[in-house]
Amino acid sequence: MGINKETFTQLLKSGQVVHSNFLSIRFIQPTTPVIPNDNQYSFVVSSKVSKLAVVRNLLKRRSRAIINKHKKAIKNLLICAFFFKVGVTNFGFKELESLIVSILKQSRLLK
């Protein structure tokens, strides 16, 4: 499920951040969950990454599929935003999957 505007603003102000070369993650664990036992994700792909909306949407779709595949391994009650950086458009599905899993491990969000 997506993140509403107020929660996204709170996430940007007070969320913890982990960076890699092609991806950044910002996350918080709220004290009162918005949705019980469920996480919220947002994927931000700037037009600096690619001018083509088709490419930006492809990255978002692949990322959602990767998160759904690893959903059981991710801690509960999280609000996460993934920010893609320039150069990530050259990655295939498997490379993108390893990138997302590695940044989740760095941020200690995997169970």
Side-chain angles (χ1 to χ4, degrees), residues 7-75:
T7 308
F8 192 78
T9 307
Q10 178 188 3
L11 179 67
L12 291 178
K13 287 181 182 176
S14 63
Q16 295 177 328
V17 185
V18 176
H19 299 284
S20 74
N21 291 339
F22 299 104
L23 182 67
S24 293
I25 184 172
R26 201 174 271 267
F27 61 94
I28 55 174
Q29 283 188 303
T31 54
T32 57
V34 179
I35 301 170
N37 297 324
D38 201 11
N39 295 336
Q40 292 181 308
Y41 302 100
S42 178
F43 301 95
V44 180
V45 185
S46 167
S47 60
K48 290 180 186 178
V49 173
S50 174
K51 297 290 181 197
L52 300 175
V54 174
V55 175
R56 296 193 307 266
N57 292 338
L58 177 67
L59 281 170
K60 292 177 191 178
R61 279 195 311 273
R62 284 180 175 174
S63 300
R64 274 190 232 105
I66 291 166
I67 291 296
N68 283 334
K69 181 178 177 182
H70 296 280
K71 187 183 278 189
K72 293 186 177 171
I74 300 172
K75 292 181 181 178

